Short mmCIF file of all heavy atoms in Angstrom, two decimals:
data_model
loop_
_atom_site.label_atom_id
_atom_site.label_comp_id
_atom_site.label_asym_id
_atom_site.label_seq_id
_atom_site.Cartn_x
_atom_site.Cartn_y
_atom_site.Cartn_z
N GLU A 26 36.59 12.04 -74.02
CA GLU A 26 36.00 13.18 -73.35
C GLU A 26 34.50 12.97 -73.12
O GLU A 26 33.96 13.34 -72.07
CB GLU A 26 36.24 14.44 -74.18
CG GLU A 26 37.70 14.86 -74.24
CD GLU A 26 37.91 16.05 -75.14
OE1 GLU A 26 36.93 16.44 -75.81
OE2 GLU A 26 39.04 16.58 -75.18
N ILE A 27 33.86 12.34 -74.13
CA ILE A 27 32.43 12.06 -73.98
C ILE A 27 32.19 11.08 -72.83
O ILE A 27 31.27 11.23 -72.01
CB ILE A 27 31.85 11.54 -75.30
CG1 ILE A 27 31.89 12.65 -76.37
CG2 ILE A 27 30.42 11.03 -75.10
CD1 ILE A 27 31.51 12.18 -77.75
N LYS A 28 33.02 10.05 -72.74
CA LYS A 28 32.87 9.06 -71.66
C LYS A 28 33.09 9.70 -70.28
O LYS A 28 32.37 9.43 -69.33
CB LYS A 28 33.87 7.93 -71.88
CG LYS A 28 33.54 7.04 -73.07
CD LYS A 28 34.58 5.94 -73.21
CE LYS A 28 34.28 5.05 -74.40
NZ LYS A 28 35.27 3.96 -74.56
N ILE A 29 34.11 10.58 -70.24
CA ILE A 29 34.37 11.26 -68.96
C ILE A 29 33.19 12.13 -68.56
O ILE A 29 32.78 12.16 -67.41
CB ILE A 29 35.68 12.08 -69.06
CG1 ILE A 29 36.88 11.13 -69.22
CG2 ILE A 29 35.84 12.97 -67.84
CD1 ILE A 29 38.19 11.86 -69.51
N ALA A 30 32.61 12.82 -69.55
CA ALA A 30 31.46 13.68 -69.27
C ALA A 30 30.25 12.87 -68.82
O ALA A 30 29.54 13.23 -67.86
CB ALA A 30 31.12 14.50 -70.51
N ILE A 31 30.02 11.74 -69.51
CA ILE A 31 28.89 10.89 -69.11
C ILE A 31 29.10 10.35 -67.70
O ILE A 31 28.17 10.31 -66.88
CB ILE A 31 28.72 9.75 -70.13
CG1 ILE A 31 28.29 10.31 -71.50
CG2 ILE A 31 27.69 8.74 -69.62
CD1 ILE A 31 28.25 9.28 -72.61
N ALA A 32 30.34 9.93 -67.40
CA ALA A 32 30.63 9.40 -66.07
C ALA A 32 30.41 10.47 -64.99
O ALA A 32 29.88 10.19 -63.89
CB ALA A 32 32.05 8.87 -66.00
N ALA A 33 30.80 11.70 -65.30
CA ALA A 33 30.62 12.80 -64.34
C ALA A 33 29.14 13.07 -64.10
O ALA A 33 28.70 13.30 -62.96
CB ALA A 33 31.33 14.05 -64.85
N ILE A 34 28.37 13.05 -65.20
CA ILE A 34 26.92 13.28 -65.05
C ILE A 34 26.28 12.19 -64.21
O ILE A 34 25.46 12.45 -63.32
CB ILE A 34 26.28 13.39 -66.44
CG1 ILE A 34 26.78 14.65 -67.16
CG2 ILE A 34 24.75 13.43 -66.31
CD1 ILE A 34 26.35 14.73 -68.61
N VAL A 35 26.65 10.94 -64.50
CA VAL A 35 26.09 9.82 -63.73
C VAL A 35 26.47 9.94 -62.25
O VAL A 35 25.65 9.70 -61.35
CB VAL A 35 26.57 8.49 -64.32
CG1 VAL A 35 26.17 7.33 -63.41
CG2 VAL A 35 25.99 8.29 -65.71
N ALA A 36 27.70 10.34 -61.98
CA ALA A 36 28.15 10.49 -60.59
C ALA A 36 27.37 11.59 -59.88
O ALA A 36 26.96 11.44 -58.71
CB ALA A 36 29.64 10.80 -60.56
N ILE A 37 27.14 12.71 -60.60
CA ILE A 37 26.36 13.79 -59.99
C ILE A 37 24.95 13.33 -59.67
O ILE A 37 24.40 13.61 -58.59
CB ILE A 37 26.35 15.01 -60.91
CG1 ILE A 37 27.77 15.60 -60.99
CG2 ILE A 37 25.37 16.06 -60.40
CD1 ILE A 37 27.90 16.69 -62.03
N VAL A 38 24.34 12.61 -60.62
CA VAL A 38 22.98 12.11 -60.39
C VAL A 38 22.94 11.15 -59.21
O VAL A 38 22.05 11.21 -58.35
CB VAL A 38 22.45 11.45 -61.66
CG1 VAL A 38 21.11 10.76 -61.39
CG2 VAL A 38 22.28 12.48 -62.76
N LEU A 39 23.94 10.26 -59.15
CA LEU A 39 23.98 9.31 -58.04
C LEU A 39 24.17 10.01 -56.70
O LEU A 39 23.55 9.65 -55.69
CB LEU A 39 25.09 8.29 -58.28
CG LEU A 39 24.87 7.30 -59.44
CD1 LEU A 39 26.08 6.40 -59.62
CD2 LEU A 39 23.62 6.45 -59.19
N VAL A 40 25.04 11.02 -56.69
CA VAL A 40 25.26 11.77 -55.45
C VAL A 40 23.97 12.47 -55.02
O VAL A 40 23.60 12.47 -53.83
CB VAL A 40 26.41 12.77 -55.63
CG1 VAL A 40 26.46 13.73 -54.45
CG2 VAL A 40 27.74 12.05 -55.78
N PHE A 41 23.24 13.05 -55.98
CA PHE A 41 22.01 13.76 -55.66
C PHE A 41 20.97 12.81 -55.06
O PHE A 41 20.41 13.07 -53.98
CB PHE A 41 21.47 14.43 -56.92
CG PHE A 41 20.13 15.06 -56.73
CD1 PHE A 41 20.00 16.28 -56.06
CD2 PHE A 41 18.98 14.44 -57.20
CE1 PHE A 41 18.76 16.85 -55.88
CE2 PHE A 41 17.73 15.01 -57.02
CZ PHE A 41 17.63 16.23 -56.36
N PHE A 42 20.74 11.72 -55.80
CA PHE A 42 19.75 10.77 -55.28
C PHE A 42 20.23 10.09 -54.01
O PHE A 42 19.43 9.75 -53.13
CB PHE A 42 19.41 9.74 -56.36
CG PHE A 42 18.55 10.28 -57.47
CD1 PHE A 42 19.06 10.49 -58.74
CD2 PHE A 42 17.21 10.58 -57.22
CE1 PHE A 42 18.26 11.00 -59.75
CE2 PHE A 42 16.41 11.08 -58.24
CZ PHE A 42 16.93 11.30 -59.51
N GLY A 43 21.54 9.85 -53.88
CA GLY A 43 22.08 9.25 -52.66
C GLY A 43 21.88 10.14 -51.45
O GLY A 43 21.51 9.68 -50.36
N MET A 44 22.13 11.45 -51.65
CA MET A 44 21.91 12.39 -50.54
C MET A 44 20.45 12.43 -50.14
O MET A 44 20.10 12.44 -48.95
CB MET A 44 22.39 13.79 -50.96
CG MET A 44 23.92 13.89 -51.13
SD MET A 44 24.80 13.62 -49.59
CE MET A 44 24.28 15.05 -48.66
N ASN A 45 19.56 12.45 -51.15
CA ASN A 45 18.13 12.45 -50.84
C ASN A 45 17.71 11.15 -50.14
O ASN A 45 16.86 11.15 -49.23
CB ASN A 45 17.31 12.63 -52.11
CG ASN A 45 17.42 14.05 -52.64
OD1 ASN A 45 17.72 14.97 -51.90
ND2 ASN A 45 17.19 14.21 -53.94
N PHE A 46 18.33 10.04 -50.57
CA PHE A 46 18.02 8.76 -49.95
C PHE A 46 18.48 8.74 -48.50
O PHE A 46 17.77 8.26 -47.60
CB PHE A 46 18.67 7.62 -50.75
CG PHE A 46 18.44 6.27 -50.15
CD1 PHE A 46 17.21 5.63 -50.28
CD2 PHE A 46 19.46 5.63 -49.43
CE1 PHE A 46 17.01 4.39 -49.71
CE2 PHE A 46 19.24 4.39 -48.87
CZ PHE A 46 18.02 3.76 -49.01
N LEU A 47 19.69 9.26 -48.25
CA LEU A 47 20.20 9.31 -46.88
C LEU A 47 19.36 10.25 -46.02
O LEU A 47 19.24 10.06 -44.81
CB LEU A 47 21.66 9.75 -46.87
CG LEU A 47 22.65 8.75 -47.50
CD1 LEU A 47 24.05 9.34 -47.52
CD2 LEU A 47 22.65 7.42 -46.74
N LYS A 48 18.80 11.29 -46.62
CA LYS A 48 17.96 12.21 -45.88
C LYS A 48 16.58 11.63 -45.62
O LYS A 48 15.80 12.20 -44.86
CB LYS A 48 17.80 13.53 -46.65
CG LYS A 48 19.07 14.36 -46.69
CD LYS A 48 18.84 15.64 -47.46
CE LYS A 48 20.10 16.49 -47.51
NZ LYS A 48 19.87 17.74 -48.27
N GLY A 49 16.26 10.50 -46.25
CA GLY A 49 14.95 9.90 -46.07
C GLY A 49 13.96 10.30 -47.12
O GLY A 49 12.77 9.97 -47.00
N MET A 50 14.35 11.04 -48.12
CA MET A 50 13.42 11.47 -49.16
C MET A 50 13.33 10.39 -50.23
O MET A 50 14.24 9.58 -50.43
CB MET A 50 13.90 12.78 -49.79
CG MET A 50 13.97 13.93 -48.79
SD MET A 50 14.56 15.46 -49.53
CE MET A 50 13.25 15.78 -50.71
N SER A 51 12.21 10.38 -50.92
CA SER A 51 12.01 9.41 -51.99
C SER A 51 12.94 9.73 -53.16
O SER A 51 13.26 10.88 -53.44
CB SER A 51 10.55 9.46 -52.47
OG SER A 51 9.69 9.17 -51.40
N LEU A 52 13.36 8.69 -53.84
CA LEU A 52 14.24 8.88 -54.98
C LEU A 52 13.50 9.51 -56.14
O LEU A 52 14.10 10.23 -56.95
CB LEU A 52 14.83 7.52 -55.40
CG LEU A 52 15.75 6.86 -54.35
CD1 LEU A 52 16.24 5.51 -54.88
CD2 LEU A 52 16.93 7.76 -54.03
N PHE A 53 12.26 9.25 -56.26
CA PHE A 53 11.46 9.81 -57.34
C PHE A 53 10.31 10.60 -56.75
O PHE A 53 9.85 10.35 -55.64
CB PHE A 53 10.93 8.69 -58.26
CG PHE A 53 12.03 7.84 -58.83
CD1 PHE A 53 12.33 6.62 -58.24
CD2 PHE A 53 12.77 8.26 -59.92
CE1 PHE A 53 13.35 5.83 -58.76
CE2 PHE A 53 13.79 7.46 -60.44
CZ PHE A 53 14.09 6.25 -59.86
N SER A 54 9.85 11.56 -57.48
CA SER A 54 8.78 12.43 -56.99
C SER A 54 7.51 11.62 -56.82
O SER A 54 7.27 10.65 -57.52
CB SER A 54 8.54 13.58 -57.97
OG SER A 54 8.16 13.07 -59.24
N SER A 55 6.68 12.06 -55.84
CA SER A 55 5.43 11.38 -55.54
C SER A 55 4.29 12.37 -55.67
O SER A 55 4.44 13.55 -55.36
CB SER A 55 5.47 10.78 -54.12
OG SER A 55 4.22 10.26 -53.80
#
Side-chain angles (χ1 to χ4, degrees):
E26 292 176 353
I27 293 173
K28 290 180 180 180
I29 293 172
I31 294 173
I34 293 172
V35 172
I37 293 172
V38 173
L39 291 177
V40 169
F41 174 76
F42 286 109
M44 292 296 293
N45 289 335
F46 178 76
L47 293 176
K48 289 180 180 180
M50 299 179 64
S51 301
L52 295 179
F53 303 98
S54 60
S55 174

